């Protein structure tokens, strides 16, 4: 019912959006006589803020059409290699004959689209052959495709690794660290060749270590609370009509609630940037929130499985994780080199949570273990931004080259 109310609210704001759109055009278009009004910037800025706070944000594009290899610009094209019900395997194909290490980036299935890793992909492209998991919005997946559980996530990761071959270097960012470790462990248990390296960035391998607000919230509420309060059915207007999901709009509300003052101040600053004609800072705000506000629905089964197994009962570090009826044993991994990366001031995955993977992967020789605690870096800074590019990426590049 909550989903239907959300849709009704959005529809009810259509007149307000129309008024804001007309106001922005009247007072913001340089060819309009109204744009010469002394209050034109104030009115245009107000209308712009109204539009951005009430509109729907579509899935962003990666927009990575070129990269530079050895000082030469080369074209980059996105190609879909595998197209499954809930995820596509994308390849950023470079127009170059150079053979570089293959990297599979497993993007989080936790609300935002895979484009959240745009900066990660952009940074890796000059020296690597990059692939990424492009998760689909659950409201676009028909019910006829069936449910999607944590076990299915693990199976997808295994399929992508097998497709790309054992010379792949797997990078998991945040949430997928657990299913990726489970996927590789099960492959090792079955005698399959495992990836050359695993790089885990800010993930919840063991949330009992340095628990954050997010971790404590999951512990304070029983699983039934999440199921009854957060799970809704997709309305009739979408292809996934009838599917149980954790709606994107609820996730976005949760993201904002973690730092409400910061978001309020950001929108105030945006308004003043528009009034002052500061286009550069205004555009920076737009780019950030175009990505931040673009959220997707998650399959209810996968979300609840993750809450229970990862955040409440800690199945993996306790040696109790079961996938498709088989116990996961990370110690079975023998040849894959392991690199864990954490941010010193990460408020989502606390220090030690990702590093815990080393204690589980006892079959990997000590010389093939590496851990990095990035100084003065928060959660998103682990995989994007200046500190990632200048301090973390060089370490990852060197790690890959060591074993490639």
């Amino acid at each position: 019912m909550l989903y239907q109310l959300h849709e009704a609210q959005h529809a009810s704001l259509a007149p307000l959006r129309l008024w804001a759109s007309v106001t922005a055009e009247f007072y913001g278009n340089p060819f309009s006589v109204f744009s010469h009004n002394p209050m034109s910037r104030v009115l245009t800025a107000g209308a712009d803020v109204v539009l951005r706070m009430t509109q729907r944000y579509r899935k962003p594009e990666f927009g990575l059409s070129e990269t530079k290899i050895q000082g030469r610009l080369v074209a980059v094209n996105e190609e879909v290699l595998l197209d499954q019900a809930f995820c596509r395997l994308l390849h950023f194909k470079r127009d170059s004959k150079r053979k570089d290490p293959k990297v599979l980036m497993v993007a989080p299935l936790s609300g935002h689209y895979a484009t959240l890793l745009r900066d990660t992909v952009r940074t890796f492209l000059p020296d690597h052959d990059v692939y990424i998991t492009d998760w689909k919005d659950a409201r676009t997946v028909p019910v006829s495709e069936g449910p999607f559980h944590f076990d299915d996530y693990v199976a997808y990761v295994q399929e992508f690794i097998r497709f790309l071959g054992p010379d792949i270097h797997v990078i998991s960012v945040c949430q997928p660290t657990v299913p990726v470790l489970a996927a590789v462990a099960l492959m090792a248990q079955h005698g399959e060749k495992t990836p050359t390296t695993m790089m885990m960035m800010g993930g919840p391998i063991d949330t009992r270590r340095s628990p954050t607000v997010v971790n404590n919230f999951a512990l304070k509420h029983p699983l039934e609370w999440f199921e009854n309060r957060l799970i809704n059915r997709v309305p009739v207007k979408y292809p996934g009509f009838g599917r149980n999901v954790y709606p994107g709009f609820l996730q976005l509300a949760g993201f904002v609630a973690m730092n409400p003052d910061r978001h309020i101040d950001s929108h105030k600053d945006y308004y003043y940037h528009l009034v002052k004609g500061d286009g550069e800072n205004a555009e920076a705000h737009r780019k950030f929130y175009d990505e931040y506000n673009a959220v997707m629905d998650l399959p209810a089964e996968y979300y609840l499985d993750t809450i229970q197994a990862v955040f409440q009962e800690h199945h993996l570090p306790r040696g109790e994780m079961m996938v498709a009826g088989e116990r996961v044993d990370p110690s079975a991994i023998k040849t894959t080199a392991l690199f864990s990366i954490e941010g010193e001031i990460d408020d989502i995955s606390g220090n030690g949570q990702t590093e815990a993977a080393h204690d589980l992967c006892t079959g990997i020789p000590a010389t093939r273990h590496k851990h990095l605690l990035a100084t003065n870096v928060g959660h998103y800074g682990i995989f994007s931004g200046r500190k990632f590019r200048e301090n973390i990426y060089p370490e990852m590049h060197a790690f890959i080259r060591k074993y490639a």
Side-chain angles (χ1 to χ4, degrees):
M1 185 64 182
L2 185 59
Y3 210 136
Q4 285 77 6
L5 289 174
H6 174 73
E7 292 293 316
Q9 180 194 46
H10 179 73
S12 70
L13 292 174
L16 178 61
R17 288 192 295 274
L18 177 60
W19 167 84
S21 179
V22 171
T23 300
E25 184 66 22
F26 270 22
Y27 292 97
N29 191 322
F31 297 104
S32 170
V33 295
F34 296 99
S35 65
H36 303 292
N37 187 305
M39 293 293 290
S40 61
R41 280 190 178 177
V42 173
L43 293 169
T44 302
D48 193 294
V49 171
V50 169
L51 281 172
R52 293 191 62 81
M53 293 186 68
T54 59
Q55 73 182 40
R56 290 277 173 83
Y57 289 81
R58 296 180 179 180
K59 177 185 177 182
E61 300 292 333
F62 277 100
L64 301 174
S65 59
E66 62 182 22
T67 190
K68 186 174 288 188
I69 299 178
Q70 295 179 325
R72 184 175 68 89
L73 282 177
V74 301
V76 176
N77 295 294
E78 288 182 33
E79 59 177 0
V80 179
L81 298 183
L82 295 175
D83 192 356
Q84 304 291 19
F86 291 87
C87 185
R88 304 187 306 167
L89 178 63
L90 289 186
H91 178 211
F92 295 90
K93 187 176 182 180
R94 306 172 303 171
D95 187 15
S96 172
K97 295 181 179 180
R98 199 173 78 165
K99 297 294 183 181
D100 284 320
K102 292 187 295 185
V103 171
L104 170 61
M105 295 183 183
V106 184
L109 179 55
S110 55
H112 287 107
Y113 291 94
T115 51
L116 192 68
L117 303 188
R118 182 185 296 103
D119 194 40
T120 323
V121 176
R122 182 190 294 113
T123 304
F124 270 83
L125 269 175
D127 299 306
H128 303 86
D129 187 16
V130 182
Y131 304 79
I132 196 169
T133 57
D134 184 29
W135 299 102
K136 298 180 182 180
D137 188 338
R139 70 180 177 182
T140 68
V141 182
V143 175
S144 59
E145 294 289 353
F148 185 79
H149 287 273
F150 180 91
D151 291 6
D152 299 306
Y153 193 124
V154 173
Y156 271 34
V157 173
Q158 291 176 326
E159 180 179 1
F160 296 157
I161 292 174
R162 293 182 186 119
F163 179 81
L164 296 173
D167 58 338
I168 194 72
H169 301 265
V170 180
I171 299 173
S172 51
V173 181
C174 190
Q175 163 271 323
T177 55
V178 176
V180 165
L181 183 53
V184 175
L186 288 169
M187 292 177 72
Q189 290 169 231
H190 296 164
E192 296 184 65
K193 291 184 178 180
T194 56
T196 303
T197 68
M198 286 190 298
M199 286 159 280
M200 300 185 167
M201 312 179 75
I205 298 295
D206 188 350
T207 60
R208 296 173 299 181
R209 301 189 181 188
S210 305
T212 64
V213 172
V214 176
N215 306 148
N216 291 330
F217 183 83
L219 287 174
K220 289 179 180 178
H221 298 82
L223 190 64
E224 291 75 16
W225 184 93
F226 292 94
E227 187 171 7
N228 295 332
R229 301 291 183 89
L230 302 182
I231 303 305
N232 286 259
R233 288 188 182 276
V234 176
V236 69
K237 64 182 288 187
Y238 298 105
F241 166 59
R243 178 177 294 283
N244 283 327
V245 297
Y246 176 22
F249 66 87
L250 284 180
Q251 297 170 66
L252 181 59
F255 298 151
V256 173
M258 291 180 66
N259 294 285
D261 293 339
R262 186 182 70 183
H263 293 289
I264 292 172
D265 290 342
S266 180
H267 282 78
K268 285 181 181 178
D269 291 342
Y270 174 62
Y271 172 80
Y272 290 123
H273 291 324
L274 292 174
V275 172
K276 294 175 182 177
D278 184 352
E280 184 177 351
N281 280 315
E283 183 59 23
H285 173 96
R286 291 192 196 99
K287 285 184 177 179
F288 175 81
Y289 279 98
D290 282 351
E291 192 78 52
Y292 191 82
N293 291 332
V295 289
M296 60 180 178
D297 296 353
L298 302 183
E301 308 85 15
Y302 162 77
Y303 174 71
L304 294 173
D305 287 349
T306 301
I307 290 292
Q308 182 178 28
V310 177
F311 293 97
Q312 293 184 337
E313 298 179 4
H314 314 104
H315 288 183
L316 186 59
R318 292 171 58 188
E320 299 175 356
M321 175 160 281
M322 303 291 291
V323 172
E326 185 174 0
R327 188 178 301 278
V328 175
D329 180 14
S331 69
I333 305 172
K334 306 293 185 183
T335 60
T336 300
L338 175 61
F339 186 9
S340 59
I341 301 167
E342 297 179 341
E344 181 184 32
I345 55 174
D346 191 337
D347 59 353
I348 294 179
S349 291
N351 293 170
Q353 293 187 10
T354 314
E355 188 180 14
H358 296 280
D359 295 334
L360 303 178
C361 297
T362 55
I364 300 175
T367 56
R368 299 173 74 86
H369 287 261
K370 180 180 176 63
H371 177 68
L372 172 65
L373 179 63
T375 305
N376 199 31
V377 170
H379 188 70
Y380 294 100
I382 296 172
F383 57 86
S384 64
R386 180 179 59 82
K387 292 180 179 178
F388 161 70
R389 293 189 294 270
E390 295 180 358
N391 303 325
I392 298 175
Y393 171 70
E395 297 277 353
M396 300 177 74
H397 179 278
F399 188 76
I400 290 173
R401 287 306 189 279
K402 181 178 180 180
Y403 297 102

